[in-house]
């Protein structure tokens, strides 16, 4: 069974840092571009970042450039998102996904940025 | 303001057919294939259509997708209660060097 499981979400103060993880199973992880997508409470989906199969290419939405870093470890079938200088507007459920691929999304992990 | 424009809401009665549209530009839909996601309340998004018109196994054939120029459409025929959900289109955008989502269309059964 193909599965993506996110973890690492938490309540953090503005300006703080958090590292999200996504554990993949049931698929050849190294074959896929991987993405982080977020959804603020009551809002739509927003693409955050993606990373190529071998990690050689990474792209970010403008609002997180310079603050967030996406990475992956194909030996551990894992995807990561290092989030620094967090702001209230980063509050959201964060999903890892492989967009456009027949890979089910995980349940997401909730990040709350608040003092 | 989303780069891909979707009508915020749509509705229909059971058995009816509904069309959800997604309008973009030459830098996104005009160049790249479109994917559609369904998100029932309180759940994670699920892939409904990929590569403009391909259905993953398990998605009924009453669901179809198409693309023409800089617009894409999702058609759901024979509406059922399980179709009540939010629907999102998404694709890559060359100008932004990133993926973009439509703002979502909430489908309600009357």
């Amino acid at each position: 069974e193909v599965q993506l499981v996110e973890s690492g979400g938490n309540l953090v103060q503005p300006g703080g840092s958090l590292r999200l993880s996504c554990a993949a199973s049931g698929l050849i992880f190294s074959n896929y571009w991987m993405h982080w997508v977020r959804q603020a409470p009551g809002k739509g989906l927003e693409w955050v970042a993606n990373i190529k199969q071998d990690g050689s290419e990474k792209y970010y939405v403008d609002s997180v450039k310079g603050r967030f870093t996406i990475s992956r470890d194909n030996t551990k079938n894992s995807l990561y998102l290092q989030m620094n200088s967090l702001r209230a507007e980063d509050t959201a459920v964060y999903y890892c996904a492989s967009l456009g691929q027949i890979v089910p999304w995980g349940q997401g992990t909730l990040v709350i940025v608040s003092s | 303001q989303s780069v891909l424009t979707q009508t915020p809401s749509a509705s229909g009665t059971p058995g009816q057919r509904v069309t959800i549209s997604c309008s973009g530009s030459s830098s996104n839909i005009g160049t790249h294939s479109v994917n559609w996601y369904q998100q029932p309340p309180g759940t994670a998004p699920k892939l409904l259509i990929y590569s403009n018109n391909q259905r993953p196994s398990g998605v009924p054939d009453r669901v179809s997708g198409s693309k023409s120029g800089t617009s894409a459409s999702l058609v759901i025929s024979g509406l059922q209660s399980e179709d009540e959900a939010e629907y999102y289109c998404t694709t890559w955008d060359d100008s932004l060097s990133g993926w973009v989502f439509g703002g979502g269309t909430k489908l309600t059964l009357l």
Side-chain angles (χ1 to χ4, degrees), chain A residues 35 39 44 47 99-101 105-106, chain B residues 35 37 39 44-45 47 88 98-99:
Chain A
H35 306 248
Q39 187 168 35
W47 174 82
L99 293 181
Q101 302 296 315
W105 292 34
Chain B
N35 309 292
Y37 284 89
Q39 186 179 32
L47 183 65
Y88 297 91
W99 281 72

Side-chain angles (χ1 to χ4, degrees), chain A residues 19-72:
Chain A
R19 188 193 195 211
L20 305 184
S21 299
C22 171
S25 59
L27 75 164
I28 303 176
F29 181 70
S30 58
N31 282 359
Y32 295 89
W33 278 84
M34 293 301 297
H35 306 248
W36 286 100
V37 177
R38 67 185 178 184
Q39 187 168 35
K43 302 295 185 182
L45 300 173
E46 180 185 33
W47 174 82
V48 175
N50 69 345
I51 183 169
K52 194 175 180 179
Q53 288 89 335
D54 61 359
S56 61
E57 292 182 40
K58 305 174 185 181
Y59 299 93
Y60 301 88
V61 68
D62 282 349
S63 60
V64 308
K65 283 179 183 174
R67 300 188 300 123
F68 290 11
T69 302
I70 189 172
S71 62
R72 66 190 297 162

